[in-house]
Amino acid sequence: MARIALRSPYFFTRTAPASSASVKLEISIENVLRYTLVKSATASQTSTFEISELCRDYLTIDYDGTPTAGDTEIDIDLTITFYDGANATGSVIGSPITDSNNTGFDSYGYFSEGANYEPPYPLSSAASWLIAPKLGVNNDWEIFVPENKSGYLPYILNGNVAYQSYSGTDTSVTIGVGVTCTITRTPCSKYDPQRITFINKYGQFQDLWFLLKKTLTTETTKETYQGINLTSSGSSTTYDTTKPTKVVYNKEAKERIILNSGYYPEGYNAVFEQLLESEQIWIQSLNAVGTTQYLPLNVITSNFQKKTKLNDRLIDYTIEFEEAYDKINNIR
């Protein structure tokens, strides 16, 4: 049983027994056989399969503002069988080896963390919040939330991932035996704070509040063609001056959003870094009738210079996003 980071390679390796000529790996996802992989094997040598890219195709993450563990994971079962013939033919050698109840997340490891990264390493696996800890402190967590705003925090306890809610007045939440995350409340009197939710390094939903200025810019694109605008009648030919000769079509619009974070401590750099590394991001907004929506974004900012108290004194970031869809509805 393993927690598999599907955005990084995961190597499933077993040693081929004597007389092995080929090996077959069956990958079942959510109890449905999805892949059968066959290749040659050499007796007493290791046979290795890399499976994360294949499994990730079956992980679909939807966000509706109320996260649950089932939204961010898939169940993966692996069965490996060795044969004395080529291409998984002949007799089975020994018994099939099953590695069941693995869980795949849209998480990733860094090069320095080695192969087969398993979230939430290097944090405690018994009980841990699945967010970046304070700078240099593995077992101490803190988040920054505007006053009167509620939310959710992902955690792992006894190997199971779940989400802990907190109210608009809570100043801390605790799981297990004394594993606490401090909630520091930030006043916002001038600007309306903006909540961004993203899939973090551990493959879980995490909120990040931008506390200051928000700038919206609409960009449009179009295509044109040379139209025909001639009208002939008898010996007379003319054209209508109210009609264009350069006709516009495929006009599309997309909105860009620039958000200013406000001031955060140096230890929060990892959270902003994970935001830029994330492939799935949502913004909380209200539609025309006042209903809360969670709309997908892509982050445009690609350069992240980590600020420090020593170099910059006050630490704030400006991040640019764009809508991950065309503003003019073209879904057909």
Side-chain angles (χ1 to χ4, degrees):
M1 178 179 178
R3 294 186 295 274
I4 301 175
L6 296 178
R7 282 185 62 186
S8 292
Y10 182 82
F11 301 102
F12 184 68
T13 301
R14 292 294 184 271
T15 300
S19 303
S20 295
S22 62
V23 58
K24 178 177 72 176
L25 176 66
E26 296 173 300
I27 305 174
S28 296
I29 300 174
E30 300 296 339
N31 298 315
V32 177
L33 178 63
R34 297 296 186 182
Y35 299 102
T36 300
L37 310 177
V38 176
K39 67 179 184 179
S40 298
T42 302
S44 302
Q45 301 296 315
T46 57
S47 294
T48 301
F49 294 87
E50 199 286 295
I51 67 166
S52 61
E53 190 173 10
L54 295 173
C55 296
R56 195 182 181 211
D57 287 342
Y58 289 90
L59 177 60
T60 301
I61 297 178
D62 299 312
Y63 184 64
D64 61 2
T66 307
T68 64
D71 296 332
T72 61
E73 61 187 54
I74 53 174
D75 180 70
I76 302 171
D77 297 320
L78 307 171
T79 300
I80 193 168
T81 307
F82 290 93
Y83 295 82
D84 62 6
N87 300 318
T89 61
S91 300
V92 174
I93 300 176
S95 300
I97 303 170
T98 299
D99 185 8
S100 59
N101 297 321
N102 301 290
T103 306
F105 300 97
D106 201 36
S107 54
Y108 54 93
Y110 295 133
F111 175 82
S112 60
E113 293 169 326
N116 284 14
Y117 167 82
E118 185 172 349
Y121 171 86
L123 310 180
S124 167
S125 60
S128 174
W129 297 104
L130 293 178
I131 61 174
K134 286 184 178 180
L135 184 64
V137 185
N138 280 344
N139 294 305
D140 196 1
W141 295 267
E142 182 180 19
I143 60 173
F144 295 82
V145 182
E147 295 172 343
N148 302 315
K149 298 294 185 181
S150 59
Y152 297 85
L153 271 173
Y155 68 92
I156 186 168
L157 180 62
N158 298 324
N160 297 313
V161 172
Y163 283 81
Q164 174 64 51
S165 63
Y166 57 86
S167 71
T169 57
D170 286 337
T171 56
S172 67
V173 283
T174 301
I175 56 171
V177 181
V179 180
T180 299
C181 179
T182 301
I183 303 174
T184 298
R185 295 292 174 173
T186 55
C188 296
S189 57
K190 183 176 180 180
Y191 296 97
D192 184 22
Q194 181 67 69
R195 185 173 80 171
I196 295 292
T197 302
F198 66 99
I199 297 296
N200 65 15
K201 180 179 185 289
Y202 309 105
Q204 305 303 319
F205 298 109
Q206 181 172 354
D207 293 337
L208 178 57
W209 288 92
F210 287 79
L211 307 174
L212 297 181
K213 181 180 177 182
K214 176 171 71 173
T215 303
L216 302 178
T217 303
T218 299
E219 296 183 351
T220 62
T221 59
K222 66 179 184 296
E223 297 181 63
T224 62
Y225 65 89
Q226 192 71 25
I228 299 175
N229 189 17
L230 293 176
T231 301
S232 298
S233 177
S235 62
S236 174
T237 299
T238 186
Y239 56 86
D240 188 344
T241 59
T242 67
K243 294 182 179 179
T245 57
K246 292 186 176 181
V247 182
V248 174
Y249 71 106
N250 283 349
K251 191 70 176 281
E252 294 293 347
K254 186 171 290 185
E255 194 165 75
R256 291 199 172 196
I257 306 166
I258 300 176
L259 298 177
N260 187 278
S261 66
Y263 299 117
Y264 277 89
E266 184 177 339
Y268 231 60
N269 278 344
V271 179
F272 286 95
E273 185 176 23
Q274 290 178 28
L275 171 65
L276 265 65
E277 294 168 347
S278 180
E279 294 182 347
Q280 300 189 69
I281 304 169
W282 297 266
I283 187 171
Q284 181 182 7
S285 64
L286 297 177
N287 63 14
V289 295
T291 302
T292 299
Q293 292 181 305
Y294 300 92
L295 300 175
L297 296 178
N298 291 326
V299 63
I300 298 301
T301 300
S302 59
N303 182 38
F304 178 72
Q305 180 180 349
K306 295 181 181 179
K307 296 183 179 181
T308 65
K309 291 189 295 183
L310 180 62
N311 293 337
D312 304 283
R313 295 189 180 181
L314 297 176
I315 298 172
D316 69 327
Y317 293 104
T318 299
I319 309 293
E320 184 175 6
F321 306 85
E322 70 172 3
E323 295 172 337
Y325 51 89
D326 290 321
K327 192 176 186 68
I328 299 173
N329 188 13
N330 56 9
I331 304 299
R332 291 180 172 85

